[in-house]
């Protein structure tokens, strides 16, 4: 890089730089321990893209419109959250006391709570109301260092509301700096009006695919394969038909019971299998032998307080690619904080810092078909960058319960910066 080259922005004096530039494809198994760390680094941005990466010394001869002094901070790619239920109406805080009293979920459903409470609120909400609420939650995700988000429908369970949710996600993707990837999860639950007629309900959800394709409203199709919801065979047929229509597919699988959804996901070539807390040994081995990515959601296990977490270590030992996500939703994981998920991955999934960083960047990007544009810093790639208020990459999974983000950049533009305490606040 010659001195006469001019850049829009140079970020200099970086303490540690994680690029996640490990080659093509997600990291699998033992490869997830790879983490190249550049110290005393610098990078340059031009036209929203990373244009150069080098050392602090080399950066001194480069010219730029703006220079950002990283002050020895950690710098990484923007985080990727590959499994969220971003668009929904209402909230469910009133159910927490009932759960603490030991009221069973089915009883909460009878009292008008549970997922059907969210379905009702989402059906009643206007498109504008859902857009405002989803934007609020997305902004909060940005503040935690996330720049790319997957967003599912699934709180409509009928044609008009499912399409409404997907339209909101599309509007948000077009109007918000963050990148959104939409997933159709009409097969999230069986609505009361289809009780005992789950096959008929799935047929109705499949009938939406033409409208979804025509309106370019979703890239993925998902289904909840679990006891009391949809069987492995129903899920296989549903996702196979979606694939035939040209959609990529995902699956909520083996969250509670080891039904075989993990194995089925690998057999049909699902991009990811998500939850997988109850995945069998056979399913775990299948993940290691295929390209299906395990998207693990420890926040859900934590919030539901079941005492069991996905076997991340076993999956990586089998050779699988693992990603992490918040599963942000109003019922079982009401958090936008992917940093907290990194803490849980360390404490409950026994993942190393290196594995965790790969799981929230490059692997998470591949879990939503964005491996070519998110989760990595390299010349020619989007300048989605986070400056962390920490001295090294070990610190974020270690120090829990706070927000370590200092500055978030999307396409080379600052979209979030930590507020400083007002000067009049005493430091004594």
């Amino acid at each position: 890089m010659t001195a006469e080259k001019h850049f829009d922005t140079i970020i200099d004096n970086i303490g540690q730089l994680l690029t996640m530039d490990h080659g093509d494809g997600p990291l699998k198994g033992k490869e997830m321990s790879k983490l190249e760390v550049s110290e005393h680094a610098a990078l340059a941005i031009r036209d929203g893209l990373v244009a150069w990466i080098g050392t602090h010394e080399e950066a001194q001869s480069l010219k730029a419109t703006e220079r950002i002094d990283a002050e020895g901070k950690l710098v990484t790619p923007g985080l990727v959250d590959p499994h969220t239920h971003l668009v929904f109406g209402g909230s469910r805080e009133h159910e927490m006391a009932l759960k603490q009293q030991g009221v069973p979920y089915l009883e909460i459903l009878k009292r008008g709570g549970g997922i059907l409470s969210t379905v009702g609120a989402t059906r009643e909400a206007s498109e504008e109301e859902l857009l405002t609420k989803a934007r609020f939650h997305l902004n909060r995700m940005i503040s935690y260092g996330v720049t790319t988000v997957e967003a599912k429908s699934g709180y409509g369970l009928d044609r008009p509301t499912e399409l409404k949710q997907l339209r909101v996600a599309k509007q948000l993707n077009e109007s918000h700096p963050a990148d959104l990837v939409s997933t159709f999860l009409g097969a999230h639950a069986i609505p009361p009006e289809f009780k005992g007629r789950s096959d008929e309900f799935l047929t109705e959800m499949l009938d939406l695919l033409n409208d979804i394709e025509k309106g370019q409203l979703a890239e993925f199709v998902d289904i909840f394969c679990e006891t009391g919801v949809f069987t492995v065979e129903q899920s296989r047929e549903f996702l196979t038909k979606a694939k035939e229509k040209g959609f990529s597919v995902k699956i909520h699988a083996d969250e509670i019971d080891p039904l075989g959804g993990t194995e089925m996901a690998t057999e049909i070539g699902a991009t990811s299998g998500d939850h997988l807390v109850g995945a069998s040994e056979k399913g775990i081995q299948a993940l290691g032998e295929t390209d299906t990515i395990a998207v693990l959601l420890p926040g859900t296990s934590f919030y539901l307080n079941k005492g069991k977490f996905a076997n991340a270590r076993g999956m990586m030992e089998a050779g699988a690619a693992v990603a992490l996500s918040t599963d942000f939703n109003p019922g079982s994981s009401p958090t936008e904080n992917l940093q907290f998920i990194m803490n849980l991955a360390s404490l409950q999934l026994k993942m190393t810092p290196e594995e965790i960083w790969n799981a929230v960047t490059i692997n998470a990007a591949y879990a939503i078909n964005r491996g070519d544009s998110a989760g990595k810093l390299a010349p020619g790639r989007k300048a989605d960058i986070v400056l962390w208020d920490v001295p090294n990459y070990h610190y974020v999974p270690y120090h829990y319960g706070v927000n370590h983000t200092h500055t978030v950049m999307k396409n080379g533009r600052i979209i979030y910066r930590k507020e400083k305490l007002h000067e009049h606040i005493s430091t004594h």
Side-chain angles (χ1 to χ4, degrees):
M1 183 62 65
T2 56
E4 63 268 16
K5 294 278 187 178
H6 192 277
F7 301 99
D8 299 326
T9 305
I10 290 176
I11 303 175
D12 195 7
N13 197 22
I14 297 169
Q16 288 187 338
L17 174 65
L18 308 184
T19 63
M20 308 309 185
D21 191 6
H22 311 301
D24 295 329
L27 296 183
K28 304 182 70 173
K30 293 179 181 178
E31 290 182 339
M32 287 191 63
S33 293
K34 286 183 181 177
L35 197 67
E36 294 183 11
V37 183
S38 300
E39 299 192 341
H40 310 296
L43 65 80
I45 300 165
R46 186 192 294 119
D47 298 330
L49 304 176
V50 176
W52 172 85
I53 295 175
T55 67
H56 164 71
E57 289 74 22
E58 291 169 331
Q60 302 317 299
S61 63
L62 304 182
K63 292 181 170 55
T65 304
E66 177 188 30
R67 296 187 85 95
I68 296 174
D69 183 355
E71 301 176 330
K73 293 178 174 60
L74 170 70
V75 173
T76 73
L79 305 187
V80 179
D81 197 339
H83 181 128
T84 85
H85 302 254
L86 180 65
V87 182
F88 61 88
S91 60
R92 309 238 292 269
E93 67 276 7
H94 58 282
E95 294 175 19
M96 198 159 192
L98 296 176
K99 291 176 182 176
Q100 290 169 334
Q101 294 163 23
V103 178
Y105 180 71
L106 291 178
E107 178 60 28
I108 292 174
L109 273 177
K110 286 181 183 177
R111 297 186 190 185
I115 188 173
L116 297 182
S117 166
T118 302
V119 169
T122 307
R123 287 179 176 181
E124 292 173 11
S126 70
E127 215 159 300
E128 187 58 40
E129 288 169 337
L130 290 177
L131 183 64
T132 299
K133 182 173 171 57
R135 185 184 292 114
F136 171 84
H137 294 301
L138 183 57
N139 287 344
R140 186 172 280 166
M141 289 178 178
I142 292 290
S143 76
Y144 287 110
V146 175
T147 54
T148 303
V149 178
E150 185 257 17
K152 303 179 190 293
S153 67
Y155 289 123
L157 310 182
D158 63 13
R159 173 180 287 271
T161 316
E162 288 294 318
L163 294 176
K164 177 172 65 174
Q165 281 187 274
L166 293 173
R167 285 195 302 270
V168 167
K170 184 176 182 179
Q171 288 180 63
L172 205 50
N173 182 49
E174 292 170 348
S175 63
H176 196 280
D179 288 327
L180 264 68
V181 177
S182 285
T183 296
F184 171 54
L185 181 60
H188 193 193
I190 303 168
E193 59 267 31
F194 280 91
K195 187 176 181 180
R197 298 184 294 133
S198 58
D199 285 336
E200 190 177 333
F201 174 66
L202 289 177
T203 297
E204 181 158 309
M205 291 299 98
L206 283 171
D207 287 344
L208 269 68
L209 294 184
N210 286 334
D211 289 341
I212 292 169
E213 182 181 30
K214 185 178 179 181
Q216 296 182 315
L217 296 177
E219 182 175 332
F220 287 93
V221 172
D222 197 345
I223 190 170
F224 192 9
C225 178
E226 190 53 75
T227 302
V229 194
F230 302 107
T231 68
V232 171
E233 284 313 309
Q234 284 178 315
S235 301
R236 183 194 301 274
E237 183 179 357
F238 185 82
L239 294 180
T240 298
K241 288 180 178 177
K243 283 195 75 173
E244 290 170 355
K245 284 265 187 192
F247 292 91
S248 296
V249 298
K250 296 175 160 288
I251 183 170
H252 283 58
D254 299 331
E255 179 179 359
I256 302 167
D257 297 323
L259 300 185
T262 307
E263 294 93 312
M264 185 271 287
T266 64
E267 289 165 10
I268 67 169
T271 303
S272 71
D274 300 30
H275 284 292
L276 312 185
V277 177
S280 68
E281 278 301 316
K282 183 180 177 184
I284 289 173
Q285 290 302 314
L287 286 170
E289 295 165 2
T290 63
D291 293 329
T292 298
I293 296 173
V295 176
L296 306 185
L297 314 167
T300 307
S301 299
F302 169 82
Y303 192 77
L304 294 178
N305 204 23
K306 298 290 187 182
K308 186 177 180 183
F309 289 79
N311 184 6
R313 179 58 50 208
M315 292 173 188
M316 289 184 289
E317 288 175 354
V322 171
L324 293 165
S325 182
T326 59
D327 189 21
F328 171 63
N329 74 80
S332 61
S333 190
T335 181
E336 302 95 332
N337 187 352
L338 190 54
Q339 292 177 42
F340 178 56
I341 303 307
M342 296 169 73
N343 305 139
L344 288 177
S346 176
L347 295 169
Q348 299 295 341
L349 302 185
K350 311 305 180 188
M351 294 175 68
T352 67
E354 293 81 5
E355 292 163 347
I356 290 167
W357 280 105
N358 283 313
V360 296
T361 54
I362 193 62
N363 279 12
Y366 276 101
I368 52 174
N369 288 348
R370 291 298 183 275
D372 61 347
S373 60
K376 180 194 293 190
L377 296 177
R381 305 265 301 201
K382 287 185 176 184
D384 296 354
I385 299 167
V386 182
L387 280 70
W388 300 89
D389 218 355
V390 301
N392 56 67
Y393 72 87
H394 290 86
Y395 199 91
V396 176
Y398 149 76
H399 187 161
Y400 78 97
V402 299
N403 186 1
H404 296 291
T405 306
H406 182 276
T407 302
V408 181
M409 303 179 77
K410 181 68 183 172
N411 298 320
R413 289 178 47 246
I414 293 174
I415 58 173
Y416 171 83
R417 180 173 277 156
K418 181 181 289 185
E419 295 179 6
K420 293 184 178 179
L421 290 174
H422 292 293
E423 290 181 4
H424 69 267
I425 295 178
S426 174
T427 58
H428 297 292

